[in-house]
């Protein structure tokens, strides 16, 4: 059922083929099973896929934050010395230090 359900576009397309046999009239069981299957696919597809997409989006957000931090460090910290721009600005000029000393 899981295989057939995921290959079709919805639960309502394949349930009649499974639950209605010729000569049987079990509409109550059909409706109960339809609600059960619909809730199962709602939980699996909607909730679990949203959790997976949330993890992916969060991972890309962390990568973006790391890139911003790296660019900020590149602009404000001397790569060779590891000293911040604010230290150089107290005693001299950061840009002169980066261009002339390194």
């Amino acid at each position: 059922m899981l295989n057939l359900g995921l290959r079709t576009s919805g639960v309502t397309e394949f349930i009649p083929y499974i639950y209605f046999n010729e000569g049987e009239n079990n509409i109550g069981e059909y409706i109960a099973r339809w609600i059960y299957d619909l809730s199962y696919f709602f939980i699996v597809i909607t909730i679990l896929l949203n959790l997976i997409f949330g993890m992916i989006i969060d991972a890309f957000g962390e990568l973006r934050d790391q890139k911003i931090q790296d660019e900020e460090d590149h602009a404000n910290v001397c790569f060779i010395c590891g000293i911040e721009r604010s230290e150089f600005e107290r005693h001299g000029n950061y840009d002169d230090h980066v261009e002339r000393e390194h």
Side-chain angles (χ1 to χ4, degrees), residues 14-92:
F14 76 91
I15 285 182
Y17 300 113
I18 296 172
Y19 298 108
F20 281 132
N21 296 328
E22 290 183 25
E24 295 183 15
N25 190 7
N26 51 3
I27 192 73
E29 291 178 16
Y30 169 75
I31 291 173
R33 185 62 187 218
W34 185 82
I35 291 171
Y36 174 76
D37 289 341
L38 187 63
S39 64
Y40 171 78
F41 285 112
F42 175 75
I43 290 169
V44 168
I45 292 172
T46 305
I47 295 174
L48 292 179
L49 286 179
N50 281 335
L51 287 173
I52 292 169
F53 292 148
M55 287 186 241
I56 291 170
I57 291 170
D58 187 47
F60 280 112
E62 289 177 10
L63 289 173
R64 183 186 64 237
D65 292 342
Q66 183 65 38
K67 180 181 175 189
I68 291 170
Q69 182 65 35
D70 290 345
E71 289 173 354
E72 188 176 302
D73 283 346
H74 180 70
N76 295 321
V77 177
C78 177
F79 179 72
I80 305 298
C81 301
I83 301 173
E84 293 187 12
R85 179 186 286 262
S86 59
E87 282 293 319
F88 286 112
E89 295 298 329
R90 285 189 219 160
H91 305 291

Side-chain angles (χ1 to χ4, degrees), residues 1-8:
M1 177 174 38
L2 180 64
N3 185 22
L4 184 60
L6 293 176
R7 286 188 295 155
T8 61

